[in-house]
């Protein structure tokens, strides 16, 4: 920090103390009753009221937030000069050549849109593009879904999966009598924050069993049994992130019966429809089972992965209600959540999706490109499994091919992960999650070597 | 403000097969957007929509700027472009260019790296993210908003976690600025309170402070340690000149103090539905700006993770290219000039009609909107009898007028003013 800045910051005795305390990592604020260190850096540090007077910054006590753990992996990867580095961090699809992919059908749809001189850029309605909403509901619930035909579904366009979860969460915090949401342990790192900021309180239910590297089904049922009536339950529709462990259809049926008997409210996160198995209907089975029993649920849909529209932020929140009348009222209240957040959603990505979904030929082309992505990932799983078996790597690595979707929860511990990053330039999240989409036939051997070394040298 | 949900959710809702949302009440239609809903339902061939503030051509059509179409073509035809996630803070080029646009390329704040800029969803998103940041990190949780202001402002800030108070702004007797009331109210605000300022073309009144008045506002706010939060939705669109419309913001930045600015490209680049905007926080030091930016990410990530790429790419493409930028300024000025032209035509038509009262506010007010001064009854009358659609506060969007429809509006105003008091 330059001298001038330092003087500006330390212009008063009170602030000097505050700054000193900050450098010592000690919580010092007029509102705190002790000098106990806090320190989750993302917590609110009570701002010092005189910050700003005497020429100092009113934000002088704002602490540097830690890098997002998932996105931080790519930041570290980018800094690494090694020619053998592999990025298995963020869940974005990569081709066999390690490149991002824009689907052909997406390029075609975009060309059609941009070359249409009659298209304008007016505000969408608060609820988004109507066609997109209807088509999205059909995609996830099935075109013949009674819920849709009975007009019991309200669908609003949101900003990808995150935006759909946030809007749904805020709606529930305002209009549902139970403000607790149960999320699986583990889950996507951003889930707890999304729901907390939406105004819900977050609890967890058992999900992953590290000993089997599979589902801890008994404890899952026990935990949900103990949840209070009306509690919200977050369910990953398929391809659980980060573990790749999904319930079987039988297990889903048991989960459904339990949830319905306890009056729990399901909130599905569907980020991988079609991307997990290569089949759009198969990946929507869990959701459709719940909708088929006539009960209510929420669904957050993302087109980031299955249409490769990541940065366009395209998604939809659907709320399946008991009646059309309720659905209408619910939709009107969803608008009151969205309008003060960003007024109305972005037009471009949703237009691409609608263009594809409503055209038979483009829809078909999409399913073909989607299956190709899913198949490549399944192939990478097999190749990695085979490579580890060939090396005689100790342990059972069958979870590599049993787990579903973009991610594999390797079961590697933090020390092993750190070792692999340091010695082999393999980048992944510290929980041992690897993105299979980031692998290629060329890099599988290097990863297998790294895992083998980590497992044999570090316990 | 009427309660949105007066009935508490019932724990018994959902039992015995009922809906858990049985007690959710139908929310009222958004007052501003509801105008267009009503307009669309009207079968009259002479209907005029002066509701939502979206630009219309002389032919009454929406406009996509030529330079925007060109930029979009460049982007979509570039085979090397991908659709990967942007960083949480958005497109870096877009952020830098946006800061330069509003603060001036030579702004010391920028050169000293004291500005944290994050891409957000147009003006609304920028206000919401800024509000949430302040609610978490700033010691004063009250924001003062002008009376009147854009209908969505109170809700944005309330949901961000701030408490909302108002300061006097519009004087109905002069149809101008209640400057004394404004200064008195800001003087009475607690030190450190946040103050929302419309950078130019105040919405809904079109009444802006003069540069002298801005200077007095600035001195008062700095002496009271009040924190300025600018809403800049009309840069270039109000006067036709990008620098002139940024004067108020730049005066505050020039004194070395801190402020927030929400920028929207909805109107000045016609990118409405693409949701392109930026939140900038001007800080005392580069170190503070870095820390502030890191905390802004913690607001954005749990809201929507990262912002949409398309609109921001269009803006960046235009702003970074000399020729595209120049073409933009010409198209922008043409839109602003047409609106100023409509103001003059309406004023002349009312004067030719021998309208009682002083209608000079029509040409004094600035930007897309005119606060006619008509009351709710008069507005209802104009909608019913003349099929003129506007918000019930008497605000009309000049962008929705054309030479062809000015006479009809004049008739309607004349009738409303002479028949109803």
């Amino acid at each position: 920090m330059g001298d001038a800045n330092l003087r500006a910051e330390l212009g008063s005795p009170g602030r000097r103390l505050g700054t000193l305390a900050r450098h010592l990592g000690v919580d010092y604020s007029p509102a705190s009753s002790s000098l106990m260190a806090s320190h989750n850096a993302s917590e609110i540090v009570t701002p010092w009221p005189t910050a700003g007077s005497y020429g100092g910054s009113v934000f002088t006590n704002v602490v540097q937030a830690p890098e997002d753990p998932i996105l931080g992996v790519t930041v570290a990867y980018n800094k690494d000069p090694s020619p053998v580095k592999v990025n298995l961090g963020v869940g974005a699809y990569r081709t066999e050549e390690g490149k991002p992919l824009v689907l052909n059908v997406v390029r075609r749809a975009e060309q059609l849109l941009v070359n249409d001189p009659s298209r304008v850029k007016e505000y969408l309605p608060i609820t988004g593009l109507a066609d997109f909403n209807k088509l999205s509901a059909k995609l996830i619930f099935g075109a013949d879904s009674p819920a849709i035909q009975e007009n019991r579904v309200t669908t609003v366009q949101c900003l990808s999966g995150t935006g759909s979860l946030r809007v749904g969460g805020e709606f529930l915090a305002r209009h549902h009598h139970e403000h607790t949401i149960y999320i699986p342990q583990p889950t996507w790192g951003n889930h707890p924050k999304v729901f907390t900021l939406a105004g819900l309180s977050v609890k967890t239910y058992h999900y992953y069993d590290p000993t089997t590297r599979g589902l801890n089904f008994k404890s899952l049922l026990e935990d949900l049994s103990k949840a209070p009536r009306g509690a919200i339950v977050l369910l990953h529709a398929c391809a659980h992130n980060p573990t790749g462990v999904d319930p079987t259809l039988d297990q889903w049926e048991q989960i459904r019966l339990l949830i319905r008997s306890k009056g729990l409210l399901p909130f599905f996160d569907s980020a991988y429809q079609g991307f997990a198995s290569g089949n759009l209907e198969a990946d929507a089975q869990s959701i459709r089972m719940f909708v088929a029993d006539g009960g209510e649920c929420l669904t957050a849909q993302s087109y980031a992965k299955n249409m490769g529209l990541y940065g366009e932020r395209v998604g939809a929140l659907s709320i399946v209600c008991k009646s059309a009348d309720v659905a209408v009222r619910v939709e009107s209240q969803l608008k009151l959540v969205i309008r003060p957040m960003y007024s109305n959603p972005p037009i471009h990505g949703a237009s691409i999706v609608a263009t594809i979904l409503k055209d038979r030929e483009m829809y078909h082309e999409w399913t073909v490109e989607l299956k190709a992505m899913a198949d490549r990932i399944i192939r990478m799983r097999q190749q990695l499994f085979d490579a580890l078996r060939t090396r005689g790597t100790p342990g059972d690595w069958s979870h590599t091919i049993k787990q579903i979707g973009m991610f594999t929860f390797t079961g590697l511990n933090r020390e092993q992960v750190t070792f692999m990053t340091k010695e082999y330039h393999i980048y992944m999240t510290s929980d041992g999650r690897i993105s299979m989409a980031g692998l290629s036939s060329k890099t599988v051997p290097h990863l297998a070597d790294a895992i083998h070394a980590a497992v044999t040298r570090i316990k």
Side-chain angles (χ1 to χ4, degrees), chain A:
Chain A
M1 204 166 29
D3 275 357
N5 287 340
L6 201 60
R7 270 197 297 281
E9 292 242 339
L10 303 181
S12 87
R15 273 201 337 285
R16 279 194 209 108
L17 274 176
T19 307
L20 177 64
R22 190 164 45 80
H23 289 311
L24 292 175
V26 166
D27 183 18
Y28 172 57
S29 74
S32 75
S33 55
S34 79
L35 292 179
M36 202 166 65
S38 4
H39 254 19
N40 177 353
S42 63
E43 299 240 45
I44 300 170
V45 172
T46 307
W48 180 233
T50 65
S53 43
Y54 314 117
S57 169
V58 297
F59 303 121
T60 197
N61 289 342
V62 169
V63 291
Q64 180 74 25
E67 189 73 58
D68 180 285
I70 300 175
L71 305 178
V73 171
T74 296
V75 171
Y77 167 86
N78 287 336
K79 287 189 183 149
D80 187 335
S82 164
V84 300
K85 62 180 182 176
V86 188
N87 187 358
L88 303 180
V90 179
Y93 183 80
R94 292 288 176 269
T95 61
E96 180 68 20
E97 294 70 38
K99 302 233 174 296
L101 178 67
V102 178
L103 301 187
N104 282 333
V105 73
V106 165
R107 286 204 192 278
R108 282 175 55 198
E110 207 173 38
Q111 287 284 343
L112 284 170
L113 292 166
V114 167
N115 290 322
D116 178 356
S118 74
R119 280 190 63 78
V120 294
K121 292 191 180 296
E122 295 298 285
Y123 291 123
L124 284 177
I126 299 174
T127 50
L129 191 62
D131 279 357
F132 167 85
N133 291 336
K134 288 186 167 46
L135 292 159
S136 294
K138 285 186 177 167
L139 182 67
I140 188 70
F141 301 122
D144 54 353
S145 170
I148 292 179
Q149 288 166 4
E150 291 158 20
N151 294 313
R152 296 192 285 111
V153 183
T154 173
T155 305
V156 293
Q157 179 190 338
C158 294
L159 277 89
S160 208
T162 310
S164 306
L165 294 166
R166 176 64 177 262
V167 169
E170 282 205 22
F171 170 82
L172 292 173
R174 274 196 227 183
H175 297 282
H176 188 54
H177 62 86
E178 248 299 329
H179 291 173
T180 305
I181 183 164
Y182 285 75
I183 65 178
Q185 179 77 355
T187 192
W188 180 45
N190 202 21
H191 274 142
K193 304 181 187 77
V194 170
F195 293 120
T196 300
L197 286 182
L200 298 174
S201 85
V202 175
K203 288 189 149 80
T204 61
Y205 59 91
H206 281 91
Y207 191 83
Y208 180 69
D209 185 346
T211 53
T212 60
R213 290 190 184 123
L215 185 64
N216 185 348
F217 192 48
K218 192 158 164 296
S219 298
L220 181 157
L221 293 177
E222 271 172 25
D223 287 351
L224 294 189
S225 296
K226 296 192 218 132
R229 183 153 211 96
I232 310 149
V233 181
L234 181 77
L235 303 161
H236 294 223
C238 70
H240 180 271
N241 177 2
T243 69
V245 169
D246 285 347
T248 61
L249 283 179
D250 274 345
Q251 290 172 327
W252 271 121
E253 174 63 8
Q254 290 183 65
I255 292 168
R256 182 189 69 78
L257 286 167
L258 176 64
I259 282 180
R260 294 312 194 190
S261 74
K262 294 282 174 183
L264 305 176
L265 181 62
F267 195 155
F268 285 97
D269 186 350
S270 175
Y272 302 100
Q273 187 189 3
F275 199 92
S277 69
N279 182 294
L280 288 156
E281 274 70 42
D283 291 345
Q285 273 316 302
S286 60
I287 293 176
R288 295 182 188 184
M289 286 167 64
F290 277 76
V291 174
D293 69 14
E296 299 179 315
C297 67
L298 288 83
T299 299
Q301 251 173 301
S302 167
Y303 289 94
K305 285 88 173 173
N306 62 8
M307 276 219 195
L309 290 172
Y310 306 93
E312 301 286 355
R313 316 312 290 129
V314 202
L317 168 72
S318 285
I319 304 188
V320 180
C321 308
K322 278 282 179 169
S323 71
D325 174 62
V326 170
V328 167
R329 289 184 266 129
V330 164
E331 183 167 306
S332 75
Q333 291 291 347
L334 285 170
K335 289 187 195 177
L336 296 194
V337 171
I338 294 168
R339 175 74 160 148
M341 198 184 282
Y342 49 84
S343 280
N344 41 74
I347 189 170
H348 192 69
S351 303
I352 292 172
V353 172
T355 301
I356 292 170
L357 293 183
K358 72 168 57 148
D359 180 282
R360 273 190 106 96
E361 191 265 316
M362 292 182 87
Y363 182 94
H364 176 73
E365 181 176 343
W366 172 48
T367 61
V368 171
E369 290 191 79
L370 181 51
K371 186 164 192 310
M373 288 195 288
D375 285 348
R376 194 182 94 66
I377 286 172
I378 291 166
R379 238 183 359 262
M380 291 304 100
R381 291 183 171 283
Q382 191 65 49
Q383 285 189 22
L384 180 60
F385 175 72
D386 293 342
L388 290 170
R389 206 173 38 174
T390 306
R391 281 163 182 67
T393 305
D396 175 7
W397 292 91
S398 62
H399 58 284
T400 305
I401 44 178
K402 284 188 198 158
Q403 289 168 5
I404 298 155
M406 198 182 288
F407 302 109
T408 292
F409 224 37
T410 55
L412 296 159
N413 63 40
R414 288 184 91 96
E415 290 72 32
Q416 290 165 331
V417 169
T418 307
F419 168 85
M420 286 170 64
T421 304
K422 196 159 174 289
E423 303 299 328
Y424 286 80
H425 307 278
I426 308 277
Y427 288 82
M428 70 181 84
T429 47
S430 59
D431 56 5
R433 181 194 87 163
I434 55 174
S435 169
M436 306 311 284
L439 270 180
S440 70
S441 309
K442 284 197 350 245
T443 51
V444 161
H446 182 61
L447 175 61
D449 289 342
I451 292 176
H452 188 90
V455 165
T456 47
R457 284 189 231 174
I458 303 194
K459 297 303 170 197

